[in-house]
Amino acid sequence: MDAQLIAFIGVAAGMVALPGADFTVVVRNALASRTAGLATALGVAAGLLVHTALAVAGLAAVLVTLPVLFRTVQLLGGAYVLYLGISALYALRRRSGQGEEEAAEDGSGRSAPREFGRALRQGFLTNALNPKAPVLFLSLLPQFVPHGQPPLPRTLLLAAVVVVLALIWFPAVALLVDRLGRWLRRPRTARAIEGGSGVALTGLGLALVTGPLLR
């Protein structure tokens, strides 16, 4: 039995499940609909696929060693997360000024393909523009490559594990939120979750935009 692989699965599972911008966006969109939640989850997994592919190719090392490029990614990621947070707070304020029936009608007019594509894009960009991911994968993956083994096949396996875990965890979160939808979509509860997610995303975005270079 590969003890190092088992240990990596545990570490990677904790990393994937750690609440952050990905989790917040999945929950927020799953409250809108099951389709939006699952699409966001798939987008997050696709973003992780980008990061793991970069780590395997060694491009993450280039990104980390070039401060200007790294800072650019950090600013883009922070700006996008900040945009999502402000959008959530604006949507909450707009709904607060409408009747519940009006708010429901506004959400029902969006076609399923458009909703799916929009949510998929949000999940992907939220994860792909996360500046912490290249550093994390670059420092984590080599630690679980056994001495004497060819690094490429092992790194590919570890990268695949991360993506598979994301494909399990985030859709499960989306389905759970949808399953609890009757309670979570009650006006007071929905407003609290929408407001909380908006504040969380805004705070994360501001921390990335205004914070020091993440190294």
Side-chain angles (χ1 to χ4, degrees), residues 93-117:
R93 181 181 178 183
R94 185 180 61 184
R95 279 198 295 271
S96 296
Q98 294 175 332
E100 293 299 327
E101 292 182 2
E102 287 182 78
E105 288 174 2
D106 287 346
S108 62
R110 186 178 297 159
S111 66
R114 182 180 178 185
E115 180 185 40
F116 185 92

Side-chain angles (χ1 to χ4, degrees), residues 67-141:
V68 174
L69 183 58
F70 194 92
R71 180 60 175 169
T72 300
V73 174
Q74 184 175 338
L75 289 173
L76 287 174
Y80 185 70
V81 173
L82 182 60
Y83 161 76
L84 292 179
I86 293 174
S87 296
L89 294 175
Y90 175 75
L92 177 64
R93 181 181 178 183
R94 185 180 61 184
R95 279 198 295 271
S96 296
Q98 294 175 332
E100 293 299 327
E101 292 182 2
E102 287 182 78
E105 288 174 2
D106 287 346
S108 62
R110 186 178 297 159
S111 66
R114 182 180 178 185
E115 180 185 40
F116 185 92
R118 180 173 177 271
L120 183 71
R121 183 173 63 252
Q122 284 188 354
F124 175 76
L125 291 177
T126 300
N127 188 275
L129 293 177
N130 180 2
K132 295 181 181 179
V135 179
L136 183 60
F137 284 112
L138 192 63
S139 60
L140 181 65
L141 296 184

Side-chain angles (χ1 to χ4, degrees), residues 18-26 44 81 84 126-127 130 170 200-201 204:
L18 189 67
D22 296 335
F23 181 86
T24 304
V25 171
V26 169
V44 170
V81 173
L84 292 179
T126 300
N127 188 275
N130 180 2
F170 288 108
L201 289 170
L204 287 169

Side-chain angles (χ1 to χ4, degrees), residues 2 16 31 53 107 117 120 129 136-137 161 173 177 184 207:
D2 193 330
V16 169
L31 279 174
L120 183 71
L129 293 177
L136 183 60
F137 284 112
V161 167
V173 170
V177 171
L184 294 177

